[in-house]
Amino acid sequence: MEWFIFDYLLNTGILGIATLITFGINFLFAIGLIFLERRSAQSVWAWLFVLFFLPIIGFIIYIFFGRKIYNQQIFTVNEDDKVGLEHLVDDQLQELRDNSISFSNRVMDKHRKIIHMLLYNNQSFLTINNSIRTFTDGNEKFDHLLEDIRNARDHIHFQYYIFKLDGIGQRLYEALLEKQKEGVSVRILYDDMGSRALSLRNFRKLREAGGLVEAFFPSKLPLINPRINNRNHRKIVVIDGSIGYVGGFNVGDEYIGLNKKFGYWRDTHLRLEGNAVKSLQLRFMLDWNSHSKRNNMVREDRYFPEMDYLGDTPVQIASSGPDEKWEQIKYGYLKMIYSAKKSIHIQTPYFIPDQSFLEALRIAMLSGIEVHLMIPNKPDHPFVYWGTYSNAGALLDMGAQVHIYEKGFLHQKTIMIDDEVLSVGTTNIDVRSFLLNFEVNAFIYDEKEAIQYRRIFEEDIKDCSLLTKEKYAARSKWIRIKESIANLISPIL
C-alpha cells in the first residue's frame, strides 16, 4: 500500500499533489464543520458549498471568516466580583420563582418570563431606578454626549465599533483629550476592523497625557486579521459611572447625515441614568480587560457609585458574542415575539434572520398578531440588502406590513411588542449579530417608553413607502437573481 501511494505521488506531479493536498484540507475542514463545531445546518451547507466549489480560496476564506471561538475564555471577572454578581443574579432568580420580587409596574409582572430568561441565560441583572432619553438624530445625540463629556469629573469609558477621526470624531477626540489633561481618566476601546483607518498612533497626544487606548482583536500583520469575522460591534460610553450611552450610532460624519451616498442617517441611541449604567460599566470593564495588557481595570467604588432615585424604568442590559454557549440577545428577541399578544414593531437595517426567527414571526402572524417591519431603501452591503429584501418580501403573503424607509439610511436595531417591552441596542437581525459579533442591547419593560417608540415608528412611516405583494411580484429578473444568491449565502453573510 505504501509503495502504491509513493508511486502515485511520483507519477502525479506537483499539480496533482497540490490538488490532493487541497482536497484533503477541504475534507478535514468539512469533517470539522459537521462533527466538531456548533453550527446550524444552513451554515454547514453554506460553508461546504464554499469549500468544495472554491477549493483553494475556500479554506483561506474559512481561516479568516469561518473559525469559531466558542469556549475560549476571552472575558474574565475578578473572583470577588464574580461571586458578587452570581449572588445578585441568583437572588433575583429566586425572587422571581417565589414571587417575592417587587415589580415597579404591571409590564414587569406580565413579562417576568423574559426577565427570568435573560437573568438565567445571560446574568443580565434587573435594574429599576432608571431614567432614559431616546435619540433618533445623530446631531442631537452627539451634542448631548459632548456636553456630558465636558461635565465629566472622574472617568470616561468610550467604546465604539467604528470611530472615525473626521469632523464629529475629531470634536469628540479633542473633548476627551481636554478632559484627560484636566485629570479625568479616559479609556478608549475601538474595534480594529470597524475602525480600520485608526491605529494607536492616532491617539499619541491622548496617551502622552495619560489616556489609555486599546484596539479589539487587532491585526497582527497589515491587512491580515485572523479574527476578521468576530468583531466587537458594541457602542458603549460610561461617564463617571452614572451616565451611560448605548445604541446604534457609531462615530463618523455619515452618522450626522454628512455622507451624500446615505443622506439622512436614521438611528436610535439611549442615554441612561440609574443602575443600568452599572451593567454597561461592567460590560466595558470586561471588554477592556480582554485586550489591555498592563492597565487592567479592577472594581473600584468610583466606577460603581451609589445612586439616588433617578427614575422608575426597569432595564436589563444583555450582551452576546461568539464565545458564549447561547445566542442570548436572539433568544431575548424570540421570547419577545412569542410573548406578543397584539403587535410587533421591528426596525432593522439588515433582515436576514435564521429559520427560528422567521418561524416565530410566521406563528405570530398566523395567530392574528400585527407585524410591522421597517427596512432601508438603499444598501450599504449589496448582498445583505438583497437578502433583507427577499426575507421581507416573504412575509408579505402572511399579512406583514413592510415599510421601506426613503428619507435616508435606516440603521437602528429596535424591536417592540404590545406597547410594553422594547429592546434597543447594537444587534441586527442576522446571523452575524446573533452568532459572530459581540453585541449589547437594553431590554426595557415600560409602557411609557414603548408607546414613545411606537409614536417614533409611526413618524418614520411618513418617510416610508409601503412594500406590497404587487410591488414585490413586479421586481425585475436581475433583482430575483441577486436575491437567490443572497439567500444561498445568507448563513455566512
Side-chain angles (χ1 to χ4, degrees), residues 90-122:
D90 289 343
D91 288 346
Q92 289 191 346
L93 281 171
Q94 189 58 47
E95 288 174 353
L96 280 170
R97 290 166 182 156
D98 59 22
N99 294 318
S100 64
I101 193 168
S102 176
F103 292 115
S104 64
N105 62 42
R106 68 170 190 87
V107 173
M108 288 179 64
D109 190 16
K110 183 177 178 181
H111 296 283
R112 61 171 61 212
K113 293 299 183 183
I114 301 176
I115 296 170
H116 184 283
M117 188 198 71
L118 291 173
L119 271 167
Y120 185 84
N121 182 38
N122 195 230

mmCIF file of all heavy atoms in Angstrom, residues 90-122:
data_model
loop_
_atom_site.group_PDB
_atom_site.id
_atom_site.type_symbol
_atom_site.label_atom_id
_atom_site.label_comp_id
_atom_site.label_asym_id
_atom_site.label_seq_id
_atom_site.Cartn_x
_atom_site.Cartn_y
_atom_site.Cartn_z
ATOM 1 N N ASP A 90 -28.567 35.190 41.288
ATOM 2 C CA ASP A 90 -29.276 34.095 41.964
ATOM 3 C C ASP A 90 -30.403 34.620 42.845
ATOM 4 O O ASP A 90 -31.488 34.029 42.904
ATOM 5 C CB ASP A 90 -28.290 33.265 42.801
ATOM 6 C CG ASP A 90 -27.356 32.425 41.953
ATOM 7 O OD1 ASP A 90 -27.669 32.232 40.750
ATOM 8 O OD2 ASP A 90 -26.320 31.977 42.467
ATOM 9 N N ASP A 91 -30.136 35.728 43.538
ATOM 10 C CA ASP A 91 -31.174 36.298 44.399
ATOM 11 C C ASP A 91 -32.372 36.761 43.575
ATOM 12 O O ASP A 91 -33.535 36.521 43.958
ATOM 13 C CB ASP A 91 -30.610 37.478 45.199
ATOM 14 C CG ASP A 91 -29.661 37.041 46.296
ATOM 15 O OD1 ASP A 91 -29.632 35.830 46.613
ATOM 16 O OD2 ASP A 91 -28.929 37.904 46.829
ATOM 17 N N GLN A 92 -32.113 37.402 42.450
ATOM 18 C CA GLN A 92 -33.219 37.878 41.619
ATOM 19 C C GLN A 92 -33.979 36.708 40.993
ATOM 20 O O GLN A 92 -35.216 36.739 40.903
ATOM 21 C CB GLN A 92 -32.706 38.821 40.531
ATOM 22 C CG GLN A 92 -32.258 40.171 41.062
ATOM 23 C CD GLN A 92 -32.008 41.192 39.968
ATOM 24 O OE1 GLN A 92 -31.908 40.866 38.793
ATOM 25 N NE2 GLN A 92 -31.923 42.460 40.363
ATOM 26 N N LEU A 93 -33.258 35.668 40.600
ATOM 27 C CA LEU A 93 -33.935 34.474 40.061
ATOM 28 C C LEU A 93 -34.837 33.846 41.115
ATOM 29 O O LEU A 93 -35.983 33.458 40.827
ATOM 30 C CB LEU A 93 -32.895 33.459 39.573
ATOM 31 C CG LEU A 93 -32.250 33.731 38.214
ATOM 32 C CD1 LEU A 93 -31.087 32.775 37.975
ATOM 33 C CD2 LEU A 93 -33.272 33.580 37.086
ATOM 34 N N GLN A 94 -34.333 33.733 42.327
ATOM 35 C CA GLN A 94 -35.129 33.135 43.397
ATOM 36 C C GLN A 94 -36.356 33.978 43.713
ATOM 37 O O GLN A 94 -37.455 33.446 43.932
ATOM 38 C CB GLN A 94 -34.273 32.959 44.646
ATOM 39 C CG GLN A 94 -34.958 32.134 45.742
ATOM 40 C CD GLN A 94 -35.348 30.747 45.257
ATOM 41 O OE1 GLN A 94 -34.550 30.048 44.626
ATOM 42 N NE2 GLN A 94 -36.590 30.343 45.526
ATOM 43 N N GLU A 95 -36.183 35.295 43.698
ATOM 44 C CA GLU A 95 -37.322 36.184 43.951
ATOM 45 C C GLU A 95 -38.389 36.042 42.863
ATOM 46 O O GLU A 95 -39.586 36.103 43.143
ATOM 47 C CB GLU A 95 -36.839 37.637 44.025
ATOM 48 C CG GLU A 95 -36.059 37.959 45.291
ATOM 49 C CD GLU A 95 -35.475 39.355 45.263
ATOM 50 O OE1 GLU A 95 -35.563 40.014 44.197
ATOM 51 O OE2 GLU A 95 -34.923 39.799 46.284
ATOM 52 N N LEU A 96 -37.945 35.846 41.612
ATOM 53 C CA LEU A 96 -38.907 35.612 40.532
ATOM 54 C C LEU A 96 -39.640 34.301 40.725
ATOM 55 O O LEU A 96 -40.858 34.211 40.521
ATOM 56 C CB LEU A 96 -38.189 35.619 39.174
ATOM 57 C CG LEU A 96 -37.861 36.975 38.551
ATOM 58 C CD1 LEU A 96 -36.943 36.793 37.346
ATOM 59 C CD2 LEU A 96 -39.136 37.690 38.114
ATOM 60 N N ARG A 97 -38.906 33.271 41.162
ATOM 61 C CA ARG A 97 -39.508 31.941 41.294
ATOM 62 C C ARG A 97 -40.507 31.875 42.445
ATOM 63 O O ARG A 97 -41.524 31.186 42.345
ATOM 64 C CB ARG A 97 -38.403 30.900 41.473
ATOM 65 C CG ARG A 97 -37.579 30.670 40.209
ATOM 66 C CD ARG A 97 -36.299 29.915 40.500
ATOM 67 N NE ARG A 97 -35.488 29.737 39.304
ATOM 68 C CZ ARG A 97 -34.176 29.537 39.308
ATOM 69 N NH1 ARG A 97 -33.517 29.480 40.472
ATOM 70 N NH2 ARG A 97 -33.515 29.392 38.178
ATOM 71 N N ASP A 98 -40.206 32.584 43.533
ATOM 72 C CA ASP A 98 -41.132 32.503 44.666
ATOM 73 C C ASP A 98 -42.053 33.725 44.767
ATOM 74 O O ASP A 98 -42.702 33.950 45.794
ATOM 75 C CB ASP A 98 -40.377 32.297 45.983
ATOM 76 C CG ASP A 98 -39.393 33.420 46.284
ATOM 77 O OD1 ASP A 98 -39.559 34.535 45.744
ATOM 78 O OD2 ASP A 98 -38.463 33.189 47.078
ATOM 79 N N ASN A 99 -42.072 34.535 43.666
ATOM 80 C CA ASN A 99 -42.999 35.676 43.571
ATOM 81 C C ASN A 99 -42.790 36.719 44.669
ATOM 82 O O ASN A 99 -43.729 37.393 45.089
ATOM 83 C CB ASN A 99 -44.463 35.204 43.603
ATOM 84 C CG ASN A 99 -44.830 34.391 42.382
ATOM 85 O OD1 ASN A 99 -44.444 34.742 41.271
ATOM 86 N ND2 ASN A 99 -45.562 33.315 42.587
ATOM 87 N N SER A 100 -41.557 36.855 45.133
ATOM 88 C CA SER A 100 -41.286 37.851 46.173
ATOM 89 C C SER A 100 -40.627 39.114 45.627
ATOM 90 O O SER A 100 -40.380 40.058 46.371
ATOM 91 C CB SER A 100 -40.390 37.243 47.259
ATOM 92 O OG SER A 100 -39.121 36.888 46.724
ATOM 93 N N ILE A 101 -40.335 39.139 44.323
ATOM 94 C CA ILE A 101 -39.697 40.313 43.733
ATOM 95 C C ILE A 101 -40.688 41.468 43.696
ATOM 96 O O ILE A 101 -41.895 41.284 43.519
ATOM 97 C CB ILE A 101 -39.157 39.998 42.317
ATOM 98 C CG1 ILE A 101 -38.219 41.105 41.839
ATOM 99 C CG2 ILE A 101 -40.302 39.787 41.333
ATOM 100 C CD1 ILE A 101 -37.436 40.741 40.595
ATOM 101 N N SER A 102 -40.175 42.664 43.884
ATOM 102 C CA SER A 102 -41.026 43.855 43.882
ATOM 103 C C SER A 102 -41.039 44.453 42.476
ATOM 104 O O SER A 102 -40.035 44.999 42.011
ATOM 105 C CB SER A 102 -40.495 44.882 44.887
ATOM 106 O OG SER A 102 -41.249 46.058 44.835
ATOM 107 N N PHE A 103 -42.157 44.316 41.780
ATOM 108 C CA PHE A 103 -42.290 44.865 40.440
ATOM 109 C C PHE A 103 -42.727 46.322 40.518
ATOM 110 O O PHE A 103 -43.648 46.670 41.262
ATOM 111 C CB PHE A 103 -43.315 44.073 39.623
ATOM 112 C CG PHE A 103 -42.873 42.672 39.299
ATOM 113 C CD1 PHE A 103 -43.557 41.583 39.816
ATOM 114 C CD2 PHE A 103 -41.780 42.448 38.493
ATOM 115 C CE1 PHE A 103 -43.154 40.289 39.523
ATOM 116 C CE2 PHE A 103 -41.362 41.157 38.198
ATOM 117 C CZ PHE A 103 -42.055 40.074 38.710
ATOM 118 N N SER A 104 -42.080 47.165 39.731
ATOM 119 C CA SER A 104 -42.413 48.586 39.763
ATOM 120 C C SER A 104 -43.561 48.938 38.828
ATOM 121 O O SER A 104 -44.110 50.030 38.921
ATOM 122 C CB SER A 104 -41.186 49.437 39.398
ATOM 123 O OG SER A 104 -40.776 49.182 38.056
ATOM 124 N N ASN A 105 -43.942 48.015 37.921
ATOM 125 C CA ASN A 105 -45.094 48.266 37.054
ATOM 126 C C ASN A 105 -45.666 46.934 36.587
ATOM 127 O O ASN A 105 -45.057 45.868 36.750
ATOM 128 C CB ASN A 105 -44.717 49.171 35.869
ATOM 129 C CG ASN A 105 -43.658 48.545 34.953
ATOM 130 O OD1 ASN A 105 -43.694 47.368 34.638
ATOM 131 N ND2 ASN A 105 -42.709 49.358 34.511
ATOM 132 N N ARG A 106 -46.839 46.993 35.985
ATOM 133 C CA ARG A 106 -47.539 45.776 35.567
ATOM 134 C C ARG A 106 -46.834 45.079 34.403
ATOM 135 O O ARG A 106 -46.953 43.859 34.234
ATOM 136 C CB ARG A 106 -48.979 46.108 35.163
ATOM 137 C CG ARG A 106 -49.098 46.934 33.901
ATOM 138 C CD ARG A 106 -50.527 47.037 33.395
ATOM 139 N NE ARG A 106 -50.551 47.636 32.070
ATOM 140 C CZ ARG A 106 -50.413 46.939 30.949
ATOM 141 N NH1 ARG A 106 -50.240 45.631 31.000
ATOM 142 N NH2 ARG A 106 -50.426 47.565 29.780
ATOM 143 N N VAL A 107 -46.098 45.848 33.583
ATOM 144 C CA VAL A 107 -45.405 45.254 32.430
ATOM 145 C C VAL A 107 -44.338 44.278 32.901
ATOM 146 O O VAL A 107 -44.175 43.185 32.342
ATOM 147 C CB VAL A 107 -44.796 46.354 31.542
ATOM 148 C CG1 VAL A 107 -43.922 45.740 30.444
ATOM 149 C CG2 VAL A 107 -45.900 47.204 30.912
ATOM 150 N N MET A 108 -43.588 44.647 33.944
ATOM 151 C CA MET A 108 -42.585 43.739 34.504
ATOM 152 C C MET A 108 -43.225 42.435 34.955
ATOM 153 O O MET A 108 -42.709 41.342 34.670
ATOM 154 C CB MET A 108 -41.884 44.392 35.684
ATOM 155 C CG MET A 108 -40.925 45.493 35.350
ATOM 156 S SD MET A 108 -40.214 46.171 36.860
ATOM 157 C CE MET A 108 -39.317 44.765 37.490
ATOM 158 N N ASP A 109 -44.334 42.561 35.669
ATOM 159 C CA ASP A 109 -45.023 41.373 36.180
ATOM 160 C C ASP A 109 -45.506 40.498 35.038
ATOM 161 O O ASP A 109 -45.358 39.270 35.055
ATOM 162 C CB ASP A 109 -46.186 41.813 37.066
ATOM 163 C CG ASP A 109 -46.811 40.654 37.827
ATOM 164 O OD1 ASP A 109 -46.174 39.577 37.905
ATOM 165 O OD2 ASP A 109 -47.922 40.817 38.344
ATOM 166 N N LYS A 110 -46.070 41.128 34.018
ATOM 167 C CA LYS A 110 -46.623 40.392 32.885
ATOM 168 C C LYS A 110 -45.535 39.664 32.102
ATOM 169 O O LYS A 110 -45.762 38.564 31.582
ATOM 170 C CB LYS A 110 -47.373 41.364 31.983
ATOM 171 C CG LYS A 110 -48.057 40.719 30.789
ATOM 172 C CD LYS A 110 -48.845 41.757 29.996
ATOM 173 C CE LYS A 110 -49.503 41.150 28.772
ATOM 174 N NZ LYS A 110 -50.249 42.184 28.005
ATOM 175 N N HIS A 111 -44.360 40.261 32.015
ATOM 176 C CA HIS A 111 -43.285 39.700 31.180
ATOM 177 C C HIS A 111 -42.126 39.193 32.033
ATOM 178 O O HIS A 111 -40.965 39.255 31.634
ATOM 179 C CB HIS A 111 -42.813 40.741 30.168
ATOM 180 C CG HIS A 111 -43.870 41.139 29.181
ATOM 181 N ND1 HIS A 111 -44.225 40.337 28.120
ATOM 182 C CD2 HIS A 111 -44.672 42.236 29.135
ATOM 183 C CE1 HIS A 111 -45.185 40.934 27.429
ATOM 184 N NE2 HIS A 111 -45.485 42.082 28.017
ATOM 185 N N ARG A 112 -42.446 38.666 33.189
ATOM 186 C CA ARG A 112 -41.421 38.142 34.086
ATOM 187 C C ARG A 112 -40.627 36.998 33.459
ATOM 188 O O ARG A 112 -39.470 36.764 33.839
ATOM 189 C CB ARG A 112 -42.053 37.681 35.397
ATOM 190 C CG ARG A 112 -43.075 36.552 35.225
ATOM 191 C CD ARG A 112 -43.517 35.963 36.555
ATOM 192 N NE ARG A 112 -44.155 36.946 37.416
ATOM 193 C CZ ARG A 112 -44.071 36.910 38.742
ATOM 194 N NH1 ARG A 112 -43.376 35.945 39.325
ATOM 195 N NH2 ARG A 112 -44.677 37.809 39.475
ATOM 196 N N LYS A 113 -41.218 36.287 32.506
ATOM 197 C CA LYS A 113 -40.505 35.166 31.882
ATOM 198 C C LYS A 113 -39.345 35.655 31.008
ATOM 199 O O LYS A 113 -38.312 34.984 30.914
ATOM 200 C CB LYS A 113 -41.472 34.322 31.047
ATOM 201 C CG LYS A 113 -42.529 33.584 31.871
ATOM 202 C CD LYS A 113 -41.903 32.609 32.849
ATOM 203 C CE LYS A 113 -42.973 31.822 33.605
ATOM 204 N NZ LYS A 113 -42.364 30.919 34.608
ATOM 205 N N ILE A 114 -39.518 36.811 30.367
ATOM 206 C CA ILE A 114 -38.402 37.378 29.604
ATOM 207 C C ILE A 114 -37.291 37.785 30.568
ATOM 208 O O ILE A 114 -36.104 37.517 30.327
ATOM 209 C CB ILE A 114 -38.863 38.595 28.774
ATOM 210 C CG1 ILE A 114 -39.983 38.211 27.807
ATOM 211 C CG2 ILE A 114 -37.680 39.178 27.990
ATOM 212 C CD1 ILE A 114 -40.548 39.390 27.027
ATOM 213 N N ILE A 115 -37.682 38.416 31.669
ATOM 214 C CA ILE A 115 -36.702 38.823 32.683
ATOM 215 C C ILE A 115 -35.957 37.603 33.212
ATOM 216 O O ILE A 115 -34.722 37.611 33.323
ATOM 217 C CB ILE A 115 -37.410 39.569 33.832
ATOM 218 C CG1 ILE A 115 -38.028 40.868 33.322
ATOM 219 C CG2 ILE A 115 -36.429 39.850 34.970
ATOM 220 C CD1 ILE A 115 -38.939 41.555 34.327
ATOM 221 N N HIS A 116 -36.690 36.545 33.519
ATOM 222 C CA HIS A 116 -36.082 35.312 34.036
ATOM 223 C C HIS A 116 -35.104 34.732 33.031
ATOM 224 O O HIS A 116 -33.983 34.327 33.380
ATOM 225 C CB HIS A 116 -37.180 34.297 34.360
ATOM 226 C CG HIS A 116 -36.674 33.032 34.994
ATOM 227 N ND1 HIS A 116 -36.044 32.037 34.263
ATOM 228 C CD2 HIS A 116 -36.695 32.592 36.281
ATOM 229 C CE1 HIS A 116 -35.714 31.053 35.069
ATOM 230 N NE2 HIS A 116 -36.089 31.361 36.295
ATOM 231 N N MET A 117 -35.492 34.685 31.758
ATOM 232 C CA MET A 117 -34.634 34.086 30.741
ATOM 233 C C MET A 117 -33.313 34.840 30.616
ATOM 234 O O MET A 117 -32.234 34.232 30.547
ATOM 235 C CB MET A 117 -35.345 34.060 29.388
ATOM 236 C CG MET A 117 -34.588 33.267 28.326
ATOM 237 S SD MET A 117 -35.133 33.655 26.666
ATOM 238 C CE MET A 117 -34.475 35.303 26.502
ATOM 239 N N LEU A 118 -33.364 36.182 30.596
ATOM 240 C CA LEU A 118 -32.139 36.962 30.462
ATOM 241 C C LEU A 118 -31.281 36.880 31.721
ATOM 242 O O LEU A 118 -30.051 36.935 31.644
ATOM 243 C CB LEU A 118 -32.473 38.416 30.137
ATOM 244 C CG LEU A 118 -33.056 38.654 28.736
ATOM 245 C CD1 LEU A 118 -33.505 40.098 28.578
ATOM 246 C CD2 LEU A 118 -32.054 38.294 27.649
ATOM 247 N N LEU A 119 -31.910 36.743 32.869
ATOM 248 C CA LEU A 119 -31.150 36.524 34.098
ATOM 249 C C LEU A 119 -30.431 35.186 34.067
ATOM 250 O O LEU A 119 -29.222 35.090 34.328
ATOM 251 C CB LEU A 119 -32.089 36.572 35.311
ATOM 252 C CG LEU A 119 -32.346 37.908 35.984
ATOM 253 C CD1 LEU A 119 -33.530 37.787 36.940
ATOM 254 C CD2 LEU A 119 -31.105 38.384 36.741
ATOM 255 N N TYR A 120 -31.166 34.144 33.745
ATOM 256 C CA TYR A 120 -30.618 32.788 33.770
ATOM 257 C C TYR A 120 -29.620 32.568 32.634
ATOM 258 O O TYR A 120 -28.569 31.952 32.817
ATOM 259 C CB TYR A 120 -31.761 31.784 33.661
ATOM 260 C CG TYR A 120 -31.326 30.341 33.786
ATOM 261 C CD1 TYR A 120 -31.154 29.753 35.035
ATOM 262 C CD2 TYR A 120 -31.065 29.570 32.654
ATOM 263 C CE1 TYR A 120 -30.744 28.440 35.151
ATOM 264 C CE2 TYR A 120 -30.653 28.257 32.764
ATOM 265 C CZ TYR A 120 -30.494 27.690 34.009
ATOM 266 O OH TYR A 120 -30.080 26.388 34.118
ATOM 267 N N ASN A 121 -29.954 33.100 31.471
ATOM 268 C CA ASN A 121 -29.217 32.834 30.253
ATOM 269 C C ASN A 121 -28.013 33.753 30.099
ATOM 270 O O ASN A 121 -27.023 33.402 29.477
ATOM 271 C CB ASN A 121 -30.171 33.018 29.058
ATOM 272 C CG ASN A 121 -29.538 32.734 27.723
ATOM 273 O OD1 ASN A 121 -28.746 31.821 27.601
ATOM 274 N ND2 ASN A 121 -29.881 33.513 26.730
ATOM 275 N N ASN A 122 -28.086 34.964 30.673
ATOM 276 C CA ASN A 122 -27.105 35.998 30.359
ATOM 277 C C ASN A 122 -26.575 36.719 31.591
ATOM 278 O O ASN A 122 -25.773 37.630 31.464
ATOM 279 C CB ASN A 122 -27.754 37.010 29.394
ATOM 280 C CG ASN A 122 -26.761 37.918 28.706
ATOM 281 O OD1 ASN A 122 -26.941 39.126 28.697
ATOM 282 N ND2 ASN A 122 -25.721 37.362 28.136
#
